[in-house]
Amino acid sequence: FFFVVVENLTSHISPLQPTFTMSSEGNAVAVPAVDLTELATRITTLAESIKLLKSSSKELPDKDAIATAVNALLDAKRTYAKNNGGVGVDGKAWEEPMTKSQKKKADKAKKAAEAAKAAGGAGDGASGADNKVSDANAAKKAAKKAEAKAKKASIKTGGPAATTTTTPAAKKPTTIMRPTTMTKSKLKPNQISFNPNVTLTNRPVVALTTAILTNSIVDYELVSDHMRSGCALGLPSGNGEVSGDLAMARFIAKKNDEGGVFLGGMGDEEVAMMDQWVDYALSLSKFGLARRALAIQRTLDAILVTGTYVIGHSLTLADVALFASLGFPSSDEAKFEIASILPKGCPTLRWMEMMSHHPAVREATQLAMGVAKNSEEILENGASMDPIVSGMNYLEGASAGCVTTRFPPEPSGYLHVGHAKAVLLNNYYARRYKGRLVVRFDDTNPSKEKDEYQTSIVEDLGKIGVKPDVITFTSDYFETIKQYALWMIENGLAFMDDTPQEQMQKERMDRQASKHREQSPTEALEFFNLMCSGKEEGKVWCLRAKIDMES
């Protein structure tokens, strides 16, 4: 259809020959042989037909038809311009269309001509300007090569670097880059904020230790921010914040007169030594704990053989930064983990023990871990949570709307006082933190369970003011539990055992491993399927995790 339209339109555009008339002086004068108004209408129609050809959605556009229409359009525009004194249908001077490469060459030639004119070589033409530019570039390259060659020769002979006699170019005036306005912060001046849901190593332990050692801890206020991924310090001016534990520590130390020694001293060399240790500690953060610990031990052992601290004769930022890189092992559990990685009796272990007992380190640990107890989350509407009931403790790191508690009774009897205590505690924390309470009936022993007990438990919970948000049953998740069991077997983390219950209990008390503990995953899987089949011979088997029998 579109091709026919184009053919019909182009059939009216044949080569046009101008007609001539005689002027009053007897000269022949060319007169337009076409109606420009009619030709302008044809041009518009051709342009629309090309758009239709290109936007055809039923089939692929006909490239030949489009090319024919485009050529016809160009001929019509060219004819219009010839018969309109060189002015096109758009009212602008007519220029022959060019391809992309032709346009690029024309632009390049135009720029070269302008550059030659600006350099005073317009009269010599574009060719002369290009030659001058080329000669100047070649001279510069030759000068640079000569200078580099002279420097290399001077370095080899041990003498001073040779310099060329080239006249230095005039220096541009130095522009002073001024910092933009600081990013606004919701922190008040001297507030230290961090997320109480993160581990100790992600809390500002180095900054807190620094503040304690410089006797400035009283100047700072600790606040929790459950939406913050890292830690930050509100600047005293109120114009922004400093993020990152080590950056905060450096700022706190420099701000106080007593921080000079802590940063390594007042000399440039001492500060440089300090900076390299801090940078080293920061570079280890991308590795796992074991690799970090071994790297620090191999680096520090040679220094700590005859010294107590990493730098000088007192505690500095280098010690605290490296201690933090070890995971800030101030607790017995953390120290035991590091000790299991490092060689026994190495100087780094002695240094770690000394650091863990330092009063500033212990106080910083208490402050970092206790932030949730002195500053709780503010809800979106600006209202805080209900005050904690006397005798109850805060849930460390708990966030409103993110707390789920569970009460798992077995429906094999009625509730007693012990059950009531457990469910009331779980219900209290679920309500205070705007969370939910899940009652999960542990219906894994059908021989003892009855619907009567299940109904009685729900009724009794209502009598003591407990209304669960969700009621589930362990049996609802049997397939999920089975998949986890199979995963443990396949990964060698569990085995099947048919040891009688009394003997199994005795072996456990004696810390004696079962005779089936080292069975292969294939054997364990065979007995597991037998147990799940419900056959009589499968009832004697049970799944056991490969726990540490010495624990």
Side-chain angles (χ1 to χ4, degrees):
F1 167 75
F2 296 120
F3 183 74
V4 173
V5 171
V6 174
E7 285 294 304
N8 290 337
L9 290 170
T10 56
S11 64
H12 294 286
I13 305 175
S14 58
L16 299 176
Q17 300 295 330
T19 59
F20 296 87
T21 184
M22 297 300 294
S23 67
S24 59
E25 299 176 355
N27 299 324
V29 179
V31 177
V34 296
D35 186 344
L36 294 180
T37 303
E38 181 182 352
L39 188 56
T41 303
R42 291 180 184 177
I43 291 172
T44 302
T45 305
L46 277 170
E48 292 296 329
S49 67
I50 293 173
K51 290 181 180 178
L52 290 173
L53 284 169
K54 289 183 176 180
S55 61
S56 177
S57 59
K58 293 183 178 180
E59 55 186 8
L60 292 175
D62 190 334
K63 294 183 179 180
D64 293 336
I66 292 174
T68 302
V70 170
N71 290 332
L73 179 62
L74 290 175
D75 288 340
K77 288 184 175 181
R78 190 179 293 111
T79 302
Y80 185 98
K82 286 182 179 180
N83 289 273
N84 193 34
V87 179
V89 70
D90 55 357
K92 299 179 181 178
W94 168 258
E95 292 182 359
E96 282 293 331
M98 291 187 293
T99 62
K100 290 183 178 179
S101 59
Q102 290 174 334
K103 287 182 179 179
K104 190 174 181 180
K105 289 181 180 178
D107 291 340
K108 189 174 181 181
K110 184 178 179 181
K111 289 180 179 178
E114 291 176 352
K117 185 178 180 180
D124 295 334
S127 177
D130 290 341
N131 291 334
K132 289 183 179 180
V133 172
S134 178
D135 293 342
N137 290 337
K140 288 181 180 179
K141 289 182 180 179
K144 286 184 178 180
K145 287 183 179 180
E147 183 178 0
K149 187 175 181 180
K151 286 183 178 180
K152 288 183 179 179
S154 177
I155 292 173
K156 289 180 180 179
T157 58
T163 58
T164 60
T165 58
T166 55
T167 304
K171 293 185 178 180
K172 295 182 178 180
T174 304
T175 302
I176 301 176
M177 301 299 292
R178 301 189 182 277
T180 56
T181 305
M182 299 288 288
T183 304
K184 291 184 178 180
S185 172
K186 64 180 181 179
L187 291 179
K188 296 179 181 179
N190 291 340
Q191 278 190 339
I192 296 178
S193 174
F194 57 94
N195 193 328
N197 295 322
V198 299
T199 58
L200 178 64
T201 54
N202 293 316
R203 304 188 182 202
V205 285
V206 180
L208 292 174
T209 305
T210 303
I212 294 167
L213 289 170
T214 56
N215 295 318
S216 60
I217 188 63
V218 294
D219 299 333
Y220 299 98
E221 176 188 3
L222 301 185
V223 296
S224 63
D225 186 348
H226 298 251
M227 303 301 294
R228 184 180 291 275
S229 58
C231 53
L233 166 65
L235 293 174
S237 63
N239 291 328
E241 61 185 42
V242 177
S243 300
D245 193 15
L246 288 175
M248 294 162 57
R250 281 170 164 160
F251 177 81
I252 292 172
K254 291 178 180 179
K255 185 173 174 289
N256 294 274
D257 296 335
E258 300 181 24
V261 177
F262 183 70
L263 289 174
M266 303 305 293
D268 293 339
E269 293 184 0
E270 290 83 357
V271 173
M273 290 290 293
M274 174 65 62
D275 288 341
Q276 77 170 0
W277 280 111
V278 174
D279 291 343
Y280 171 66
L282 190 61
S283 68
L284 296 174
S285 60
K286 59 185 177 183
F287 302 118
L289 178 61
R291 186 170 178 180
R292 293 201 310 268
L294 289 172
I296 291 174
Q297 176 257 324
R298 291 164 185 166
T299 305
L300 291 186
D301 273 2
I303 298 173
L304 299 174
V305 167
T306 56
T308 304
Y309 302 101
V310 177
I311 297 177
H313 303 288
S314 62
L315 189 69
T316 63
L317 181 59
D319 294 283
V320 183
L322 290 169
F323 189 69
S325 189
L326 280 178
F328 216 78
S330 53
S331 65
D332 292 338
E333 294 81 5
K335 287 188 290 184
F336 179 80
E337 184 177 7
I338 298 297
S340 65
I341 299 172
L342 302 185
K344 292 183 179 180
C346 66
T348 301
L349 282 177
R350 170 180 54 79
W351 170 82
M352 180 189 71
E353 191 69 23
M354 178 271 297
M355 289 291 298
S356 67
H357 286 91
H358 195 285
V361 171
R362 297 177 71 87
E363 185 179 350
T365 303
Q366 293 173 355
L367 290 173
M369 295 304 297
V371 67
K373 298 180 181 180
N374 55 36
S375 177
E376 289 203 289
E377 182 184 21
I378 302 299
L379 305 182
E380 291 184 1
N381 58 7
S384 60
M385 288 179 283
D386 297 333
I388 196 77
V389 173
S390 177
M392 303 292 284
N393 294 321
Y394 291 98
L395 290 183
E396 183 178 321
S399 178
C402 300
V403 172
T404 299
T405 59
R406 180 199 57 168
F407 176 61
E410 182 181 352
S412 59
Y414 301 106
L415 293 183
H416 52 69
V417 175
H419 287 119
K421 177 183 178 181
V423 73
L424 286 173
L425 283 172
N426 283 279
N427 184 66
Y428 171 76
Y429 285 115
R431 302 303 162 227
R432 183 177 188 276
Y433 287 95
K434 319 297 181 186
R436 62 175 188 160
L437 170 66
V438 176
V439 170
R440 189 203 67 196
F441 284 105
D442 197 11
D443 56 340
T444 55
N445 193 356
S447 62
K448 295 183 179 180
E449 296 157 5
K450 295 180 181 180
D451 291 340
E452 173 191 350
Y453 297 135
Q454 178 182 318
T455 303
S456 173
I457 289 172
V458 174
E459 291 177 352
D460 289 345
L461 290 177
K463 292 176 181 178
I464 59 176
V466 175
K467 184 179 179 180
D469 297 284
V470 181
I471 296 178
T472 65
F473 298 84
T474 301
S475 57
D476 295 339
Y477 304 97
F478 274 172
E479 186 59 33
T480 302
I481 296 172
K482 181 179 178 180
Q483 294 303 318
Y484 277 115
L486 290 172
W487 180 86
M488 292 181 67
I489 292 174
E490 292 171 357
N491 288 274
L493 302 175
F495 64 97
M496 297 298 295
D497 198 354
D498 65 346
T499 303
Q501 184 177 357
E502 294 78 9
Q503 182 181 347
M504 186 184 297
Q505 184 177 6
K506 183 178 184 303
E507 289 177 352
R508 182 69 186 89
M509 296 300 293
D510 295 340
R511 299 184 178 182
Q512 179 182 346
S514 169
K515 61 181 180 181
H516 296 293
R517 181 183 175 93
E518 301 304 325
Q519 68 186 185
S520 66
T522 303
E523 290 178 304
L525 184 60
E526 180 182 347
F527 292 126
F528 180 81
N529 291 330
L530 179 63
M531 179 188 71
C532 294
S533 68
K535 296 179 180 179
E536 192 65 29
E537 57 268 31
K539 294 181 180 180
V540 298
W541 292 93
C542 68
L543 181 69
R544 296 183 65 183
K546 290 185 178 181
I547 63 172
D548 182 6
M549 295 303 295
E550 298 298 324
S551 62

